[in-house]
Amino acid sequence: MTKVLMQGNEACVKGAIAAGMRFFAGYPITPSTEIAEGSAVELPKVGGKFIQMEDELASMAAVIGASAAGVKSMTATSGPGFSLKQENIGYASEAEIPCVIVDVQRTGPSTGMATSPSQGDVMQARWGTHGDHPIIALSPSSVEETYRLVIRAFNLSEKYMTPVIFLMDEIIGHMREGVEISNDIEVIDRKMPSEDQKENYRPYDCADGELVPALAPMGKGFYYNITGLLHGGDGFPTNDNEVTGRQVLRLMKKIEDNRADICQSESQDMDDAEIAIVCYGGTARSADEAIFQLKEKGIKVGMFRPITIWPFPEEDFLKATKNVKKILVVEHNYGQILLEVQRLAKNLPVEFLGCINGKTISPDEIIAKVEEL
Amino acid sequence: MPSKLIQKYMREEHLPHIWCPGCSHGSFMRAVAVAVDRLGLDHDKVVFVSGIGCSSRSAGYMDFNTIHTTHGRAFAFATGIKMANPELEVILFTGDGDASAIGGNHLIHACRRNIGITTLVMNNNIYGMTGGQYSPTTPTGEFGTTAPYGNIDRDFDIAELAKAAGATFTARANTYDLNQATNLIQKAIEHKGFSLVDCLSICPSYYGRKNKKGDAVKMIQWQKEHTVSVQKAQNMTAEELQDKIVCGVLCDYDYPEYTEKYQQIIDRVRKD
């Protein structure tokens, strides 16, 4: 095992390639551009391909096309581009095409502040594309974790045949840290239908008790239709409400019923904590330093950090905060995960520390806020 | 009893199709099936990609790997498919609105890259699926539900647009001469690089009715009278060509195909 100094965006590329990414389509946008640049350099070396598309919409579409042809694919963007990708993120969700969408969040709204950090796309990651749909979103809080977690993003997308949002932020994307590059990683590939299914192949009819379809890549002799219209087991559009209802319900349940497998979180110093700081991504780094200093002062404070942002790790959160007296949500926005925490915390007082001007939330600000509580 | 062509290449269980009586999209869909058959393409390696609209329902009727994508984005989906597996014969169904309005940017960049995609634009001069709104190919002065006082936009010539953007094969076909259409589609599929056939389709239900063009037979008759072959056009004056539409191969030349060029990068990088 070797430890290498690298940038968060660079670790994202390295992890993606380790996970089996062999196609990347993107469009230049700060602060995610290094992911496109890194992919352009690294992919041909492993026989993979990179393409710079004409816009964000097209790069999302190309990623889905490549994945439908059987190649693990990723795109990367930031806020304005993430807005444009929403159309086809919904398509990937409905058609059940696995792919990874990296959003290195910057300050918004609109063009916002291109080089400043933010966590303002958390709710967009959940509900950005129209209609009811499931989503998985993961958020790393170190360069090392970026490397490992993007591999998990690919694994979850292949396992559950769904788009996975990799929710980075400018802090982590541009941070440089040592990363342990290990060859001992688990890589999951999508299920394949068996050869005997070729006749009358019904890709979206799952076996009894199964929630995830086995979709054959194009070119393998399985003829079927892929569409963003609600469809039956053969992939052909239908207006039969019973069929469409069943199809969308399965889509939701394949994520809902597998929360235990999908949700990850980290609890730090929570055993005797009276105050729980809830934070994630780059913000967790400031909280980490704040907690260290607060504990030196004798304040009983701990951290609950969701690593899987969507679905929110509810069970972990409830367990971790069972004995606390107060909760402080620290996030780089006007209050987004705050809403989840308020919903779950019920009778506990929930305080908030946010930031919307593009500045980084400092440990001192967190310390001052905790001391106020 | 369905024809052998339908049995071999189409999803019988999903026919009849959804198109209105008199619509000629189905004729072009058949022409594609004939071209694929004549070329003896490996059934497993043909992928049909489509966008959104009447034209784009074609993909779903073909018994191959088919993908019905989002409005205007079929070119970008097809680019990803071709990049992922250049062995695939990627054939794209689109319409005038899908290809040249919402998909205009994707169209020109697919042309510019000269990526191996065969595009069939079922051009009926109107948005049919949504009920007859004017499109980028509705002629100036004509009517649509959203151009109740006449269309003031200038109309696109999609074949010219594709050629200017770098497509290495462009052609125009019409509904009257389906033999010619089939031959042109066949040539487009055989062509290495980006090819596009502007298929002049007819929409009696919306474009025809809104513009008092008569029924399907009258509209096809109009095409017969107003189209000339490329060869014939060469000997005609500008004045004679004024109300004519030129059909046939409009542009055809060799230029390296995109995925082949990318493969050369991979080979070079891996050798170093």
Side-chain angles (χ1 to χ4, degrees), chain B:
Chain B
M1 179 71 183
S3 72
K4 280 193 181 138
L5 195 74
I6 287 178
Q7 285 179 342
K8 193 169 173 189
Y9 294 119
M10 293 180 197
R11 294 179 172 134
E12 277 180 68
E13 69 275 24
H14 294 300
L15 294 171
H17 54 65
I18 60 157
W19 297 310
C20 304
C23 169
S24 62
H25 285 1
S27 307
F28 290 111
M29 185 170 81
R30 183 184 186 281
V32 175
V34 173
V36 166
D37 194 54
R38 279 195 206 153
L39 290 167
L41 299 179
D42 180 349
H43 207 135
D44 292 358
K45 301 294 176 199
V46 178
V47 176
F48 285 99
V49 185
S50 66
I52 293 290
C54 295
S55 63
S56 294
R57 287 306 184 97
S58 311
Y61 297 125
M62 306 299 284
D63 196 19
F64 292 82
N65 274 138
T66 61
I67 179 165
H68 174 241
T69 69
T70 45
H71 202 11
R73 322 289 175 225
F75 298 103
F77 277 80
T79 299
I81 293 165
K82 188 72 182 175
M83 284 288 274
N85 185 357
E87 268 185 28
L88 298 174
E89 193 70 61
V90 181
I91 305 174
L92 192 154
F93 288 112
T94 179
D96 37 310
D98 194 50
S100 71
I102 193 163
N105 197 31
H106 310 307
L107 165 67
I108 60 172
H109 289 277
C111 293
R112 178 174 67 85
R113 294 185 189 104
N114 195 37
I115 189 161
I117 297 168
T118 304
T119 296
L120 308 168
V121 185
M122 295 185 177
N123 181 357
N124 59 6
N125 314 97
I126 204 90
Y127 284 92
M129 188 69 91
T130 44
Q133 297 75 36
Y134 71 101
S135 86
T137 65
T138 303
T140 309
E142 295 211 335
F143 298 89
T145 57
T146 46
Y149 308 112
N151 173 26
I152 58 170
D153 290 15
R154 282 192 292 177
D155 46 299
F156 259 149
D157 178 331
I158 294 177
E160 273 299 310
L161 175 68
K163 182 182 155 190
T168 48
F169 181 98
T170 61
R172 186 173 292 115
N174 63 73
T175 307
Y176 174 73
D177 192 348
L178 285 172
N179 283 330
Q180 183 200 41
T182 310
N183 292 335
L184 291 171
I185 291 167
Q186 189 178 330
K187 280 191 181 139
I189 296 171
E190 282 179 297
H191 180 81
K192 202 177 239 182
F194 189 90
S195 61
L196 178 142
V197 184
D198 183 13
C199 300
L200 304 183
S201 195
I202 56 162
C203 175
S205 295
Y206 292 110
Y207 177 71
R209 197 164 53 192
K210 269 277 159 200
N211 291 289
K212 300 189 170 49
K213 302 283 184 191
D215 61 10
V217 176
K218 279 216 175 89
M219 290 181 78
I220 293 172
Q221 190 71 31
W222 185 92
Q223 283 196 355
K224 182 190 174 190
E225 287 156 9
H226 290 83
T227 53
V228 293
S229 69
V230 172
Q231 292 75 13
K232 205 172 162 193
Q234 278 165 356
N235 300 317
M236 289 168 72
T237 63
E239 205 173 51
E240 287 170 324
L241 281 169
Q242 214 168 25
D243 67 338
K244 295 286 189 287
I245 302 167
V246 180
C247 290
V249 176
L250 303 172
C251 127
D252 183 4
Y253 66 97
D254 290 332
Y255 184 81
E257 192 271 337
Y258 191 80
T259 58
E260 288 187 358
K261 279 168 76 177
Y262 199 92
Q263 190 56 48
Q264 287 168 6
I265 291 180
I266 294 176
D267 295 343
R268 199 170 72 220
V269 169
R270 301 194 94 178
K271 206 167 67 187
D272 292 344

Side-chain angles (χ1 to χ4, degrees), chain A residues 188-259:
Chain A
I188 298 174
D189 295 323
R190 67 190 79 169
K191 257 190 321 195
M192 287 293 153
S194 58
E195 284 291 310
D196 59 15
Q197 283 177 269
K198 270 189 182 171
E199 285 296 313
N200 304 314
Y201 178 49
R202 293 180 61 84
Y204 293 97
D205 271 346
C206 296
D208 275 347
E210 298 253 335
L211 292 167
V212 185
L215 300 186
M218 293 168 164
K220 301 282 184 209
F222 292 81
Y223 306 154
Y224 69 105
N225 189 50
I226 302 173
T227 178
L229 287 164
L230 300 197
H231 45 267
D234 58 356
F236 203 83
T238 178
N239 286 324
D240 181 332
N241 301 119
E242 203 189 309
V243 175
T244 54
R246 209 166 47 225
Q247 188 248 313
V248 180
L249 187 63
R250 180 179 60 70
L251 219 58
M252 303 304 287
K253 287 185 83 64
K254 76 175 177 182
I255 304 302
E256 238 171 61
D257 290 4
N258 289 297
R259 296 174 69 100

